[in-house]
Amino acid sequence: MTVADLTERELIARIQARLPAPPAWMIVGIGDDAAVVEPARNRLEVLSVDAFVEGVHFDRAFTPPGAIGHRALAANLSDLAAMGAEPRLALLSLGLPATFPAEDFNALIDGLAALAAQHRLHVAGGNLTRSPGPLIVDVTVAGSVKPRRALLRRGARPGDELYVSGTIGAAAAGLQMLRASTKMDLQCPPLDSVSSVLEPCVLRYLYPDPRVRLGSILGRNRAASACMDLSDGLADAVRQIADASGVSAIVEAEDLPIEPEARRWFESRGADPVLEAIAGGDDYELLVAVRPRTRRRLAAAHRHGGVALTRIGVGAAGGGVVLRRGGASEPMPRGYAHFQ
Amino acid sequence: MTVADLTERELIARIQARLPAPPAWMIVGIGDDAAVVEPARNRLEVLSVDAFVEGVHFDRAFTPPGAIGHRALAANLSDLAAMGAEPRLALLSLGLPATFPAEDFNALIDGLAALAAQHRLHVAGGNLTRSPGPLIVDVTVAGSVKPRRALLRRGARPGDELYVSGTIGAAAAGLQMLRASTKMDLQCPPLDSVSSVLEPCVLRYLYPDPRVRLGSILGRNRAASACMDLSDGLADAVRQIADASGVSAIVEAEDLPIEPEARRWFESRGADPVLEAIAGGDDYELLVAVRPRTRRRLAAAHRHGGVALTRIGVGAAGGGVVLRRGGASEPMPRGYAHFQ
């Protein structure tokens, strides 16, 4: 059975069956022309949208449908995290090929709903349509942040230190591993059944863990002068913060927290682990600029955010981004670009 | 030149160049991980998303890019109108084929921006990605409505009268006209240059006028017991309101405000104008249920909403929807269905 055998109403019923009861602030949820919600009291609203398109952001040959749903929402949660915002709601806009199996539809929604529940995010509505080509998962999220606590890209100053959360390169290595293994037994297993058998890097690619709690703490305790997430890779993120803030940045290659499994993988392929790790997207870690005098606040962020923060460089006067390794300096290589 | 010759940053710059200055309540607009906005004071927030996918919702062979942008936003504005909400902001998620001409990209944004400006709606952010197949225009909108003034689908009661705004069937006829004319000189002209030369029905299909002001007045003066828009046709809308409200509905075929040009077109093709007009989507008129004792409030809605309201039927006890014509009754034919 495919989604073409179901009516729009039946598909919506399947989504509703996979969601928890709506919270009191959701006055009207799924099923009317639009959702109606009470804004969070004394908060600013934070809004973001991200599209996951088959053939661009995922390959159904090796991405189980649950992971597609998980990743599409994770990318959005990561944007909220990068602003220091707490998640509230999501709208799902799905474009479904007529051949998309109804079971995969269930699994996709399950993957998304599981991550939503983990972050107390509620699906308020959405849109379903046919797609004449790729599977399309377009997710809009809304979150809230206290006034003057939003983390922007533009606040870094010369002398600020640059930190990155967790490890980098894992998702890029995981994607390469998936592409390299032509016959994988990965078509369907959801997160709980695969986590024990998958390579850690593959797991990081398929089921990234957006740094929602870390971002929220960084916003509340004013530890960060600038912040963004690594959806398009570390090299891109450093450049974006430097450009938005009107500063230059120096990144120390030796200090980069490259995931050890990823480093081994890149080396086994004859590739440069540093270049692969900084260019690779999909890590969904946070890049954070910190004034030296507020550095001690990072300890609390680390303690409660559940993830390590590693100093990787420093902001300086001027413009441009430099990668320093073995005493030499080179311009930071370009990261992942969508339109090239 | 196509969009593939431009970087993501250049495309974003083109969008920004086509938008007015952001309002004071937009703290962070385009260019960060997410938008940050002040909620409207003492209002509920209304959120909706609609996707326009090439090959499903439009055909680039006869839909100028400006009309694609206009229609994608109009569908969302119509959802806000159906809730009685006032528009505030939009997020644009675009999936662009590599072959999409850069000039058409400009025109698409121009068409969307012109309609946004007309309704004081501001673009707060979005997402750009490649598409391996169709052009995808996914728009999320947010609006605001006073507490307890949102227009829902579920408030109709037996005895309520059913009204529809404007005329119906025009967009369906316009689409048929466009499909019938194989060689059209329609590739590029924006709204102002084509309005004088296009058939009125074609104009209604390409550049629908969402009933934002009417919806807002109906919400404020509590004229409507239930409301929804006709994006999927009148037959579908009557059924949805009846089902959501737990009532039946009787629609009088003779009372339907079928656009005269559309009626002539359908008759010239040997089709039944009533069936074509109630099944045809894309009209973006409002269907409104009204308690007989609040009927006089419709006069004010008509006066200030800038569009006629025509009584087309009545709600009754029980379930189901009936179409009455020439003394006989028949079950309401099915409207447009996305998954069939």
Side-chain angles (χ1 to χ4, degrees), chain A residues 2-319:
Chain A
T2 75
V3 291
D5 299 315
L6 297 165
T7 64
E8 189 171 351
R9 192 177 287 207
E10 286 167 335
L11 290 168
I12 293 171
R14 281 175 180 233
I15 294 175
Q16 285 182 301
R18 286 170 166 75
L19 298 175
W25 51 259
M26 195 183 293
I27 317 279
V28 178
I30 295 171
D32 214 303
D33 292 281
V36 182
V37 301
E38 271 174 22
R41 207 181 272 272
N42 300 320
R43 301 276 170 137
L44 300 178
E45 187 174 29
V46 182
L47 294 150
S48 185
V49 62
D50 253 305
F52 266 58
V53 179
E54 183 181 355
V56 180
H57 303 92
F58 61 90
D59 185 333
R60 272 204 275 156
F62 54 72
T63 311
I68 297 170
H70 180 108
R71 291 185 66 224
L73 181 58
N76 278 283
L77 286 169
S78 183
D79 283 325
L80 291 182
M83 303 300 288
E86 281 165 45
R88 290 193 98 213
L89 64 86
L91 303 173
L92 314 182
S93 181
L94 304 177
L96 305 173
T99 56
F100 192 56
E103 266 193 41
D104 288 3
F105 178 83
N106 293 354
L108 188 156
I109 301 298
D110 281 336
L112 191 146
L115 185 63
Q118 193 183 323
H119 293 283
R120 295 188 197 174
L121 173 136
H122 293 270
V123 175
N127 190 67
L128 292 175
T129 182
R130 283 192 297 117
S131 167
L135 173 63
I136 306 161
V137 184
D138 203 286
V139 182
T140 302
V141 288
S144 70
V145 69
K146 279 195 182 165
R148 293 177 300 282
R149 289 293 188 279
L151 303 173
L152 309 187
R153 294 183 183 177
R154 61 172 178 245
R157 282 197 227 143
D160 282 5
E161 296 168 347
L162 299 175
Y163 290 80
V164 71
S165 65
T167 59
I168 63 171
L175 175 57
Q176 291 182 16
M177 290 174 190
L178 284 167
R179 283 186 175 147
S181 60
T182 45
K183 292 273 180 203
M184 297 285 293
D185 230 4
L186 272 178
Q187 296 294 337
C188 280
L191 179 55
D192 50 0
S193 71
V194 293
S195 59
S196 55
V197 299
L198 286 182
E199 286 280 349
C201 291
V202 169
L203 198 65
R204 281 280 300 275
Y205 173 75
L206 292 178
Y207 299 97
D209 187 12
R211 302 305 184 191
V212 173
R213 187 198 287 235
L214 174 63
S216 172
I217 293 168
L218 290 171
R220 271 185 280 150
N221 77 3
R222 300 188 153 204
S225 59
C227 184
M228 79 172 278
D229 75 335
L230 303 194
S231 45
D232 291 339
L234 179 81
D236 173 74
V238 174
R239 185 174 292 108
Q240 298 271 7
I241 281 192
D243 286 357
S245 301
V247 301
S248 68
I250 299 147
V251 172
E252 302 287 346
E254 276 73 23
D255 296 340
L256 292 171
I258 299 171
E259 175 71 30
E261 300 259 8
R263 183 187 289 276
R264 276 193 290 278
W265 168 264
F266 294 134
E267 282 170 350
S268 75
R269 314 288 283 185
D272 180 338
V274 170
L275 296 186
E276 296 283 332
I278 63 173
D282 299 320
D283 274 326
Y284 300 115
E285 297 293 349
L286 296 183
L287 175 69
V288 187
V290 180
R291 306 251 191 278
R293 65 176 169 78
T294 62
R295 186 192 301 137
R296 63 194 158 70
R297 294 181 196 160
L298 284 187
H302 177 186
R303 207 162 45 243
H304 302 294
V307 61
L309 284 158
T310 306
R311 186 183 185 282
I312 60 157
V314 67

